[in-house]
């Protein structure tokens, strides 16, 4: 299993691909995650139930294969030196909103433009070497902003967000004020394929470039060793964050953003769900965060040991035995039997 995509990708399977001449083995993180996948199929993709059910497939939960003992041995001082984080300083890790001009669905793009698009002045180059950006000529930038406004103004919700300044620049200002109050460094880790707001670039103490060529530990996993808090927008990074004992703040986008019911299914915010788990993951409405976060103490987001354990049992499996060990033991038992 490699996250919810393991289930969503089945929509590309044809009935003729489900052959009885060989057996498939599927190793999800946990039984809970597999059951969630089967609920997804029940609701949206009928063929998925057939594909993953006996006798076509054997299912063996083994835990999340992103984690292992290597992550426990990362030297925090080396991490700080590598990324330019002051000695003994911890960080707030901010994952920017993943805005893209390609996301033009009529029910969601107006809000996205009001929240982030209008505030992008420089755009990430495809290579993103050395934090490089492309600046649009003034005329093109103006034309792009007028285009966004034409989408925003007729939309009631987008218009409200625009007029009340509920946007990513205000989010990053609140995060920066929180960092100053709690003696934290503000570190931003964007994804290469998405632009992000100019104010994010200005307020960040450090922006981490990551071409994802470094793995296990990844740059993100290194940063978690010195992180006191992580913030993101319905990012599955929440799984890594909680495993690494870092509280996660989910910035709740309006429901209209999830025009795809498949996407909506995998972003639940009910109690004890992936993006709202008492004592481990704080699901927060964006206007509330903008107004309250600057005056909050870090202790407000305290990871509770029992909450972390319950979250992992539900979504990732515990540290020991690791997914690698579980997989190896399964193979060994199959061979010996």
């Amino acid at each position: 299993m490699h996250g919810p995509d393991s289930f969503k990708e089945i929509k590309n399977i044809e009935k003729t691909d489900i052959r009885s001449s060989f057996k498939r083995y599927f190793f999800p993180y946990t039984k809970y995650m597999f059951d969630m996948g089967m609920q997804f199929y029940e609701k949206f993709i009928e063929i998925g139930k057939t594909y993953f059910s006996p006798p076509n497939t054997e299912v063996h939960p083994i835990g999340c294969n992103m984690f292992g003992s290597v992550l426990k041995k990362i030297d925090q001082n080396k991490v700080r030196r590598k990324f330019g984080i002051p000695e003994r300083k911890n960080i707030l890790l901010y994952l920017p909103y993943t805005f893209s001009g390609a996301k033009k669905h009529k029910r969601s793009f107006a809000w996205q433009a009001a929240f982030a698009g209008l505030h992008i002045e420089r755009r990430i180059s495809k290579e993103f070497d050395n934090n490089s950006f492309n600046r649009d000529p003034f005329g093109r930038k103006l034309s792009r902003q007028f285009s966004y406004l034409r989408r925003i103004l007729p939309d009631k919700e987008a218009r409200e967000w625009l007029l009340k300044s509920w946007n990513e620049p205000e989010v990053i200002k609140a995060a920066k004020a929180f960092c100053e109050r709690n003696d934290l460094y503000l570190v931003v880790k964007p994804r290469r394929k998405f632009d992000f707001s100019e104010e994010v670039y200005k307020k960040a103490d450090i922006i981490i470039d990551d071409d994802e060529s470094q793995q296990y530990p990844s740059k993100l996993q290194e940063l978690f060793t010195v992180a006191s808090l992580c913030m993101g927008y319905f990012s599955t990074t929440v799984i890594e964050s909680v495993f690494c004992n870092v509280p996660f703040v989910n910035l709740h986008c309006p429901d209209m953003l999830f025009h795809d019911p498949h996407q909506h299914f995998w972003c639940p915010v009910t109690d004890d769900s992936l993006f709202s788990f008492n004592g481990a993951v704080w699901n927060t409405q964006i206007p509330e965060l903008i107004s309250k976060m600057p005056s909050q103490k870090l202790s407000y987001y305290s990871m509770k040991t029992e909450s972390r354990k319950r979250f992992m049992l539900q979504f990732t499996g515990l540290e020991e035995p690791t997914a690698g060990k579980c997989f190896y033991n399964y193979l060994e038992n199959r061979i010996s039997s």
Side-chain angles (χ1 to χ4, degrees):
M1 180 173 172
H2 57 97
D5 285 350
S6 295
F7 298 101
K8 290 187 282 187
E9 287 162 357
I10 296 302
K11 65 184 179 183
N12 301 318
I13 294 291
E14 302 291 340
K15 285 186 178 180
T16 54
D17 294 326
I18 304 179
R19 306 170 190 167
S20 57
S21 57
F22 64 91
K23 180 174 283 189
R24 289 175 294 276
Y25 297 86
F26 181 53
F27 300 90
Y29 298 162
T30 63
K31 183 178 183 301
Y32 180 93
M33 286 294 279
F34 178 74
D35 289 345
M36 193 172 176
M38 296 304 281
Q39 291 167 21
F40 173 70
Y41 293 141
E42 185 80 39
K43 201 168 184 179
F44 299 110
I45 307 176
E46 183 67 27
I47 196 173
K49 289 172 57 184
T50 304
Y51 188 88
F52 277 114
S53 295
N56 298 308
T57 304
E58 277 191 22
V59 177
H60 302 279
I62 59 170
C64 182
N65 55 12
M66 289 189 290
F67 310 129
S69 59
V70 169
L71 303 187
K72 304 290 184 181
K73 300 174 183 177
I74 298 173
D75 188 319
Q76 293 182 350
N77 291 326
K78 287 184 178 179
V79 170
R80 290 189 177 95
R81 288 195 295 271
K82 176 179 179 178
F83 295 111
I85 301 166
E87 188 177 354
R88 292 189 293 275
K89 195 97 163 180
N90 274 16
I91 68 171
L92 186 160
L93 184 58
Y94 178 75
L95 311 176
Y97 178 75
T98 53
F99 175 82
S100 170
K103 296 180 179 179
K104 293 186 177 179
H105 190 279
K106 63 182 179 181
R107 290 183 56 203
S108 67
F109 185 75
W111 177 86
Q112 294 180 61
F115 181 71
L118 276 177
H119 312 286
I120 293 169
E121 293 186 18
R122 57 183 103 191
R123 294 193 284 170
I124 302 170
S125 67
K126 289 184 179 180
E127 297 79 18
F128 199 33
D129 293 330
N130 301 315
N131 295 329
S132 59
F133 296 82
N134 291 326
R135 281 188 179 274
D136 280 339
F138 178 76
R140 187 180 299 170
K141 172 188 168 184
L142 201 61
S143 173
R144 182 160 46 87
Q145 290 187 329
F146 274 126
S147 174
Y148 291 161
L149 284 170
R150 283 197 298 268
R151 301 290 292 273
I152 293 167
L153 294 178
D155 186 286
K156 181 179 178 181
E157 185 162 16
R159 192 166 62 244
E160 180 183 20
W161 281 67
L162 174 68
L163 296 175
K164 293 185 176 179
S165 295
W166 294 338
N167 51 44
E168 188 167 33
E170 293 302 315
V171 169
I172 201 68
K173 288 177 186 176
K176 182 67 172 180
F178 177 85
C179 287
E180 291 172 349
R181 177 181 175 85
N182 293 280
D183 193 29
L184 297 173
Y185 231 47
L186 180 55
V187 175
V188 174
K189 186 185 176 300
R191 296 184 66 186
R192 283 193 171 206
K193 60 182 179 179
F194 295 109
D195 305 322
F196 57 95
S197 307
E198 179 73 5
E199 198 65 26
V200 173
Y201 181 82
K202 290 179 178 178
K203 293 294 184 187
D205 291 305
I206 301 173
I207 294 179
I208 302 296
D209 178 25
D210 187 1
D211 62 4
E212 299 183 5
S213 61
Q214 176 187 317
Q215 294 294 329
Y216 205 61
S218 64
K219 288 184 179 181
L220 180 65
Q221 289 167 337
E222 288 178 332
L223 290 168
F224 274 135
T225 67
V226 294
S228 295
L229 190 65
C230 183
M231 297 169 58
Y233 301 82
F234 288 104
S235 169
T236 52
T237 300
V238 64
I239 290 175
E240 291 184 78
S241 186
V242 175
F243 178 89
C244 294
N245 206 30
V246 177
F248 188 90
V249 178
N250 182 57
L251 295 157
H252 192 136
C253 306
D255 283 345
M256 68 182 233
L257 179 65
F258 298 110
H259 55 269
D260 181 350
H262 293 191
Q263 188 178 12
H264 195 275
F265 178 90
W266 288 106
C267 296
V269 292
T270 52
D271 290 345
D272 287 352
S273 65
L274 188 60
F275 293 104
S276 180
F277 205 97
N278 185 38
V281 182
W282 284 256
N283 180 60
T284 307
Q285 299 290 335
I286 291 171
E288 179 185 358
L289 181 132
I290 290 171
S291 65
K292 293 183 178 180
M293 192 173 197
S295 61
Q296 285 173 333
K297 293 182 179 179
L298 181 59
S299 57
Y300 178 81
Y301 302 104
S302 294
M303 178 79 78
K304 294 181 173 59
T305 302
E306 185 56 33
S307 296
R308 176 175 177 266
K309 182 179 180 180
R310 287 194 302 109
F311 181 95
M312 292 172 66
L313 282 170
Q314 195 160 306
F315 297 110
T316 67
L318 298 177
E319 289 99 329
E320 289 291 338
T322 64
K325 288 178 182 176
C326 290
F327 182 63
Y328 177 83
N329 289 340
Y330 171 79
L331 293 178
E332 192 174 49
N333 290 335
R334 290 284 298 189
I335 292 169
S336 61
S337 62

